[in-house]
Amino acid sequence: MTAVSAQEPEESVRETVDRNLLEYQAQGSDRGESDFVGIPFEQVLATPENIQLNIAYARQQIIGGDLKEAGSTLERILLIDPAMHDVRVLYGLVLYRLGLFDRARYELELALDSNNLPPPLRAEAETYLNRIKYEQRQTRGSLTLTTGLDWDRNRNQSPSSGMVQSFLGVLPAEERNGDAAFIFSAQGRLIHDLGSQEGHTLHAEASYYHSDKHEVDRLDLDATTLALGGTWYAGDWSFTPRLRGGFYWLQGEDYQKTLGGDFEVAYRWNPHVKAYVTLRGEDENFRATTNFGSAPLRSGRRLGARSGLEWRFSTTQRLSVEAMYMDKQGDASCSLTGAVSGCESYGRYGANMQHSWLLGKGAFSLIGLWAERSEYDGVDRFISPSIVRDEWLYRARATVGAPLSVFLPNAPEGVKDINIIAQYEYETVDSNILNFDYDTHKAALLLSKRIAF
């Protein structure tokens, strides 16, 4: 479990709107709307004054993800009957999802001023009106706090064979240690709108992660990362450069510092599909600690590239596919004579796929699969005089979560939006060197809350 993975389940505001749009259309029959299936536009065009038909058609467009056309349909309904304030609230949510904040704010304020909304719908309209006001602030921020417990069946990554190789021969490995840990993370983000019509922004991020193991204390981890950058838009293109830094401690001792940056170029093909390429480079500086005296051998520069595609194929589901490549050039001397051998230099490539699903009422699921191959440049003569390390890593992870309001509907407002998250992960490494060939099962139970300011 990492600080990053602990934050992955957090929903964006727009995903929340998508969820509510879907729930709204699913509840249409409960509000007395006709259940039309597969309505052709010609039928709507033939009877434009049929309000129930138009509402059902708008619901159909929302299900299909065609929010722009759904907005036009809802606008047409309101021209026929401006007193349909529940439709006006739905229209406001659609406009919000389209990024038309001023128009969305106007429609929601008009619906609220009518004083004809039932209490639940009025509360929903007020919630999204406040979110619009937040989005329209020039500078806005958020803080996400996550805490909980995780468990790793093989915390020390003991080899599956129970043996390790060394220049002295094959020896018994350290026993597999299943261990629990208390984890805490805080992730802050500031966004400043530069006031341009295109929506250019500057942003800063800071995060802190703490993992306190119950038994394997030498792996107690504290990590702080910082990032500063901006995003500039040109039509469907976006460009995001960032400077990054990281500081890591093991059992309270200075272990690693990184300094570098990345540059992302993204292109939005349509409202449902986005492609991106990210280039990243950083210098890694490892320090010797009491339990990891050879850590400086891992110091050196690291370059990487990622390219992916995000496909939002429904209002509640998204599929991401990504390919990656990394080149690490270490300064290590892993030979008995002191010559640089390339034992900490490697090329790594792989792919991953993740599916996210908003299940309704704030619940969500994430399923991810990873496969990565690492090919090292030279032998580590402290382990083997002839075998160059070569391995595959495979990982599968499943995450489910929901706000506490699902289980405690009468909880205080400040508690309802806390997410409870459960996660399971299986990881295995297939290596040609005994020392690195292992597998493990991991699980975590977390509580996470996002605070906007």
Side-chain angles (χ1 to χ4, degrees), residues 66-306:
D66 195 351
L67 297 181
K68 185 176 292 186
E69 293 302 321
S72 298
T73 303
L74 294 168
E75 186 176 22
R76 186 167 60 249
I77 295 169
L78 292 170
L79 288 174
I80 297 172
D81 186 354
M84 298 196 70
H85 300 294
D86 60 335
V87 173
R88 194 174 296 280
V89 172
L90 178 59
Y91 183 40
L93 296 187
V94 170
L95 291 172
Y96 181 98
R97 182 60 184 88
L98 292 171
L100 303 173
F101 298 136
D102 288 332
R103 291 179 59 191
R105 181 172 181 172
Y106 172 79
E107 296 297 338
L108 291 175
E109 287 179 340
L110 197 61
L112 287 167
D113 289 343
S114 71
N115 292 320
N116 287 325
L117 295 176
L121 191 57
R122 183 175 185 84
E124 185 177 18
E126 289 173 344
T127 296
Y128 284 103
L129 184 59
N130 289 333
R131 288 179 177 176
I132 290 171
K133 293 177 180 178
Y134 172 78
E135 290 287 345
Q136 290 184 314
R137 291 169 52 184
Q138 189 170 13
T139 303
R140 56 190 183 274
S142 65
L143 175 65
T144 302
L145 303 174
T146 303
T147 189
L149 298 173
D150 76 0
W151 175 80
D152 192 328
R153 181 172 178 265
N154 187 7
R155 180 78 71 183
N156 55 339
Q157 298 180 353
S158 179
S160 301
S161 65
M163 308 297 290
V164 294
Q165 295 172 229
S166 76
F167 66 93
L168 298 175
V170 178
L171 304 171
E174 181 183 29
E175 291 187 6
R176 177 176 295 186
N177 194 320
D179 194 13
F182 165 77
I183 61 176
F184 170 79
S185 71
Q187 185 175 44
R189 180 175 172 86
L190 282 175
I191 301 176
H192 177 73
D193 193 325
L194 293 176
S196 65
Q197 186 175 356
E198 295 83 0
H200 308 322
T201 61
L202 298 176
H203 37 79
E205 300 175 20
S207 68
Y208 170 72
Y209 176 77
H210 172 74
S211 176
D212 185 4
K213 279 68 173 179
H214 178 62
E215 294 185 18
V216 190
D217 292 329
R218 69 178 185 275
L219 295 180
D220 287 349
L221 174 65
D222 290 274
T224 298
T225 59
L226 304 169
L228 180 64
T231 300
W232 283 263
Y233 298 91
D236 293 321
W237 292 89
S238 66
F239 306 89
T240 304
R242 278 181 292 251
L243 293 175
R244 294 184 176 275
F247 306 88
Y248 305 84
W249 298 264
L250 284 178
Q251 205 173 0
E253 296 183 68
D254 184 10
Y255 176 67
Q256 181 189 4
K257 293 181 180 179
T258 64
L259 180 64
D262 62 56
F263 183 73
E264 178 183 279
V265 178
Y267 180 76
R268 189 169 294 279
W269 295 91
N270 56 53
H272 312 289
V273 180
K274 170 187 170 183
Y276 64 90
V277 175
T278 303
L279 303 177
R280 182 167 178 169
E282 55 194 348
D283 180 70
E284 298 180 315
N285 187 356
F286 288 83
R287 313 295 181 88
T289 67
T290 301
N291 294 298
F292 298 94
S294 63
L297 295 176
R298 302 177 62 190
S299 295
R301 67 109 174 119
R302 185 172 69 171
L303 303 177
R306 294 180 179 271

Side-chain angles (χ1 to χ4, degrees), residues 261-447:
D262 62 56
F263 183 73
E264 178 183 279
V265 178
Y267 180 76
R268 189 169 294 279
W269 295 91
N270 56 53
H272 312 289
V273 180
K274 170 187 170 183
Y276 64 90
V277 175
T278 303
L279 303 177
R280 182 167 178 169
E282 55 194 348
D283 180 70
E284 298 180 315
N285 187 356
F286 288 83
R287 313 295 181 88
T289 67
T290 301
N291 294 298
F292 298 94
S294 63
L297 295 176
R298 302 177 62 190
S299 295
R301 67 109 174 119
R302 185 172 69 171
L303 303 177
R306 294 180 179 271
S307 178
L309 195 69
E310 295 180 0
W311 176 31
R312 199 183 195 103
F313 57 90
S314 80
T315 54
T316 60
Q317 297 186 69
R318 180 174 61 192
L319 183 66
S320 302
V321 179
E322 182 182 79
M324 61 80 68
Y325 177 76
M326 181 191 300
D327 178 72
K328 172 66 182 288
Q329 291 296 319
D331 304 326
S333 170
C334 302
S335 68
L336 298 179
T337 62
V340 175
S341 64
C343 67
E344 289 294 346
S345 298
Y346 57 83
R348 178 174 296 162
Y349 56 88
N352 68 76
M353 178 175 64
Q354 295 193 73
H355 173 265
S356 60
W357 193 358
L358 301 176
L359 304 172
K361 297 184 179 180
F364 58 87
S365 70
L366 295 168
I367 296 176
L369 299 171
W370 289 261
E372 296 178 0
R373 182 177 178 86
S374 299
E375 299 175 343
Y376 283 73
D377 293 350
V379 298
D380 183 343
R381 294 190 179 275
F382 292 106
I383 295 177
S384 170
S386 58
I387 301 176
V388 178
R389 184 175 169 185
D390 190 351
E391 63 194 25
W392 275 98
L393 177 146
Y394 304 98
R395 181 186 298 121
R397 180 189 297 159
T399 305
V400 293
L404 290 180
S405 59
V406 173
F407 312 101
L408 302 170
N410 297 320
E413 289 300 322
V415 174
K416 283 184 176 181
D417 62 346
I418 295 177
N419 280 321
I420 182 168
I421 302 163
Q423 188 174 85
Y424 166 76
E425 179 180 304
Y426 175 71
E427 180 178 281
T428 182
V429 174
D430 182 12
S431 177
N432 63 341
I433 294 180
L434 292 177
N435 306 38
F436 310 106
D437 193 281
Y438 73 92
D439 72 332
T440 187
H441 299 266
K442 304 176 184 180
L445 185 64
L446 308 170
L447 293 175

